[in-house]
Amino acid sequence: MLAGDVAAKRFAQTKWREGYDQQQVDDFLARVQRTLAEYERGRPADPVTAEQVVASRFQPTRFRTGYAQDEVDDFLDAVVVELRQHETRWGVRD
């Protein structure tokens, strides 16, 4: 997974069922994207860690548009795998 993959990721939107707050998810993924871009350039500075992704929580939405929770959760699982590989390679500790 590359930084561009994170930037290009789109999630289904919910309206009448619970979803995740879109702005919170977008802001968090922007941090993940910056972290992956730094790894790609070979200079991680204050990276988002896999453990931070695991611990991330987003405000649920009801009666307003949100992101499908399962899709976000599945994508974040893939992000965790990618970040753990980088952390092992770079010796990053949480």
Side-chain angles (χ1 to χ4, degrees):
M1 176 182 303
L2 300 172
D5 298 324
V6 176
K9 183 63 180 167
R10 300 293 176 257
F11 302 105
Q13 296 184 351
T14 63
K15 185 161 185 152
W16 302 112
R17 59 186 163 82
E18 196 169 88
Y20 286 141
D21 182 274
Q22 292 177 322
Q23 191 63 54
Q24 289 179 352
V25 172
D26 290 343
D27 290 348
F28 187 73
L29 288 180
R31 291 181 53 218
V32 169
Q33 179 186 358
R34 282 191 301 275
T35 293
L36 290 174
E38 290 171 358
Y39 279 125
E40 290 167 23
R41 286 191 296 271
R43 51 188 166 96
D46 192 29
V48 173
T49 66
E51 290 308 312
Q52 289 171 324
V53 175
V54 169
S56 65
R57 299 291 179 263
F58 305 105
Q59 184 71 35
T61 61
R62 278 196 189 193
F63 308 115
R64 64 185 171 95
T65 304
Y67 286 141
Q69 292 177 348
D70 289 343
E71 287 184 25
V72 173
D73 291 342
D74 290 346
F75 186 69
L76 291 177
D77 288 345
V79 167
V80 167
V81 170
E82 184 68 24
L83 289 176
R84 284 187 175 144
Q85 291 174 356
H86 286 293
E87 291 167 5
T88 298
R89 194 172 311 125
W90 286 89
V92 174
R93 304 261 185 247
D94 195 24

